[in-house]
């Protein structure tokens, strides 16, 4: 491990917030984690930070930020149909995608170009273009911070749902994920339920190959989402709200073009981006913060935004959407 004092976190969060952590531990392998828990995390406030692509730091962190810096992808088993991969928490997510494309492993190509590290993927069950990480995740390994003991959770135990898991609920702030296992298909298999992806493949008349699907996803993302290396952002800032079918019918009569997807238990999931756009917030700025011109659900740092500017913007959006639709948007991003 490496320990740093008064660490600037600007390069460790894609929103580009300039905040400082009193201490910062780079975890360099999984074996040292019980010692790190015992000697440091049990004594101080702590935060486990992956790639910082879903975290909004709102102030300096008066404690220890611990960051997994160990990567690696290992094939654990290969059968006629499937391959089982064990991937270390510090591996950048998109490296795993590239690896799977090279080896022709099917199942996560729709999650191309999602920023962040593999260890964070199960926490909020990352998802895009018709696929969620829960669809191919086999199990999660890690350590409980309260006990220092190792754990293994199989997919069914992780309580995955839309942008949610046990790691955001009962085990919130009590886990250091060390390895994520994926079961991927060796046989050709694509998910083209997201119309935009199916259309993009058809328009470009591309053969159904892993690398072309992945390329198409990257193009769609590039067109809609700002590159965090250029414009600070944390992806979708809010969750898409889920409402009852009665509420949906009521709103639909006022806004006939309202977009909705079927959600569990007969409910409807609306597009937060559309609601924000209708509230007049697409591409709008308030000081140095605002929403992205091509996707209103993404709040961006237009340059040197302070956490307060981002939060004030978010609050104003929530208020404006609420007064129009009577729906309260919930933050998707982790606020620290
Ligand atoms: N829309 C608008 N205005 C906007 C943005 C979107 O009208 O400003 C409309 C779009 O035209 C589309 C619908 O809303 O008809 C949905 O938009 P999109 O397909 O871009 O997806 P989303 O629901 O806004 C979700 C995820 C994204 C993921 C995409 C693609 C959440 C909170 N976000 O966004 O995930 O990439 O679907 O599957 O569920 C993330 O979590 O950080 C993220 C980027």
């Amino acid at each position: 491990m490496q320990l740093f004092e008064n660490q600037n976190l600007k390069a460790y969060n894609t929103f580009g917030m300039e905040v400082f952590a009193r201490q910062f531990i780079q975890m360099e392998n999984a074996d040292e984690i019980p010692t790190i828990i015992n000697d440091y995390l049990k004594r101080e406030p702590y935060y486990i930070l992956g790639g910082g692509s879903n975290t909004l730091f709102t102030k300096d962190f008066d404690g220890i930020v611990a960051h997994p810096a160990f990567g690696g992808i290992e094939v654990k088993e290969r059968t006629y149909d499937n391959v089982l991969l064990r991937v270390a928490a510090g591996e950048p997510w998109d490296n795993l995608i590239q690896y799977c494309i090279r080896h022709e492993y099917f199942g996560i190509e729709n999650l191309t170009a999602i920023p962040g590290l593999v260890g964070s993927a199960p926490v909020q069950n990352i998802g895009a273009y018709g696929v969620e990480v829960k669809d191919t995740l086999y199990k999660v390994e890690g350590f409980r911070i309260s006990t220092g003991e190792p754990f293994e959770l199989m997919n069914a135990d992780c309580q995955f749902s839309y942008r949610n898991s046990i790691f955001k609920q009962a085990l919130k702030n009590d886990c250091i994920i060390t390895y994520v296992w994926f079961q991927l298909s060796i046989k050709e298999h694509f998910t083209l339920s997201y119309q935009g992806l199916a259309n993009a493949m058809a328009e470009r008349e591309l053969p159904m190959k892993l690398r072309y699907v992945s390329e198409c996803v990257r193009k769609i993302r590039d067109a809609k989402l700002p590159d965090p290396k250029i414009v600070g952002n944390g992806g979708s800032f809010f969750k898409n709200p889920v409402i009852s079918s009665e509420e949906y019918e009521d709103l639909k009569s006022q806004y006939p073009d309202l977009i909705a997807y079927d959600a569990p238990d007969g409910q409807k999931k609306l597009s937060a981006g559309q609601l924000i756009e209708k509230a007049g917030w697409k591409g709008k700025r308030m000081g140095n913060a605002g929403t992205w011109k091509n996707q209103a659900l993404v709040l961006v740092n237009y340059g040197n935004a302070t956490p307060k500017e981002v939060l004030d913007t978010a609050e104003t959006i929530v208020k404006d959407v609420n007064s129009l639709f009577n729906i309260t948007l919930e933050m998707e991003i982790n606020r620290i």
Side-chain angles (χ1 to χ4, degrees), residues 27-254:
M27 303 183 285
E28 279 163 348
N29 63 66
D31 298 340
E32 65 188 18
I33 289 177
T35 312
I36 293 173
I37 292 174
N38 201 45
D39 293 357
Y40 294 94
L41 306 189
K42 280 209 168 147
R43 297 151 196 248
E44 303 262 3
Y46 61 82
Y47 181 63
I48 312 301
L49 178 69
S53 54
N54 202 46
T55 297
L56 176 66
F57 285 105
T58 58
K59 53 181 182 300
D60 290 343
F61 190 75
D62 189 17
I64 303 179
V65 168
H67 171 72
F70 52 98
I73 305 172
E74 208 186 331
V75 174
K76 295 302 280 187
E77 198 181 295
R78 203 184 153 98
T79 62
Y80 181 67
D81 295 321
N82 293 310
V83 64
L84 205 50
L85 300 182
R86 181 181 189 243
V87 189
E91 189 69 40
W93 176 263
D94 204 47
N95 284 1
L96 172 62
I97 300 284
Q98 298 312 318
Y99 172 96
C100 290
I101 289 165
R102 272 199 314 277
H103 291 85
E104 302 248 310
Y105 300 150
F106 297 80
I108 53 174
E109 58 283 353
N110 291 22
L111 305 178
T112 292
I114 294 186
L117 304 182
V118 166
S120 316
V123 178
Q124 64 148 348
N125 180 23
I126 60 170
Y129 311 113
V131 169
E132 290 181 325
V133 83
K134 74 166 173 52
D135 303 334
T136 50
L137 184 141
Y138 179 70
K139 69 177 176 183
V140 177
E141 280 180 68
F143 290 91
R144 296 282 298 275
I145 298 170
S146 52
T147 61
E149 293 298 319
F151 72 82
E152 270 195 19
L153 284 176
M154 300 305 288
N155 182 314
D157 302 324
C158 294
Q159 299 173 8
F160 289 122
S161 60
Y162 169 61
R163 292 297 188 274
N164 208 352
S165 76
I166 194 166
F167 307 108
K168 282 180 85 173
Q169 301 298 331
L171 298 184
K172 191 175 169 153
N173 293 333
D174 191 25
C175 292
I176 300 182
I177 292 172
T178 51
Y179 293 94
V180 186
W181 294 56
F182 298 88
Q183 188 172 46
L184 300 168
S185 175
I186 294 172
K187 296 203 161 154
E188 192 171 283
H189 166 78
F190 294 104
T191 304
L192 293 177
S193 56
Y194 185 88
Q195 206 50 49
L197 180 56
N199 293 348
M201 286 299 289
E203 271 161 30
R204 296 176 65 202
E205 294 179 7
L206 290 170
M208 282 305 290
K209 291 265 182 228
L210 258 185
R211 69 174 189 282
Y212 294 131
V213 174
S214 171
E215 244 174 54
C216 256
V217 168
R218 199 177 292 275
K219 281 205 156 51
I220 295 173
R221 280 191 80 91
D222 287 350
K224 288 191 181 187
L225 305 168
D227 179 348
K229 289 193 195 88
I230 300 166
V231 180
N233 75 89
S236 300
F237 197 90
F238 301 102
K239 286 190 197 176
N240 284 330
V242 177
I243 59 174
S244 70
S245 57
E246 293 77 27
E247 285 170 294
Y248 166 67
E249 291 305 333
D250 194 32
L251 277 176
K252 178 97 178 154
S253 62
Q254 297 170 58

Side-chain angles (χ1 to χ4, degrees), residues 54 124 127-130 162-163 194 221 224-225 234-240 259 261 269-275 277 282 292 294-298 332:
N54 202 46
Q124 64 148 348
Y129 311 113
Y162 169 61
R163 292 297 188 274
Y194 185 88
R221 280 191 80 91
K224 288 191 181 187
L225 305 168
S236 300
F237 197 90
F238 301 102
K239 286 190 197 176
N240 284 330
I259 298 161
Y261 307 92
K269 182 155 78 179
L270 303 186
S271 150
Q274 188 191 34
L275 305 184
E277 180 173 349
K282 191 170 188 168
W292 187 236
N294 301 332
Q295 174 39 298
L297 184 52
V298 178
E332 198 245 73

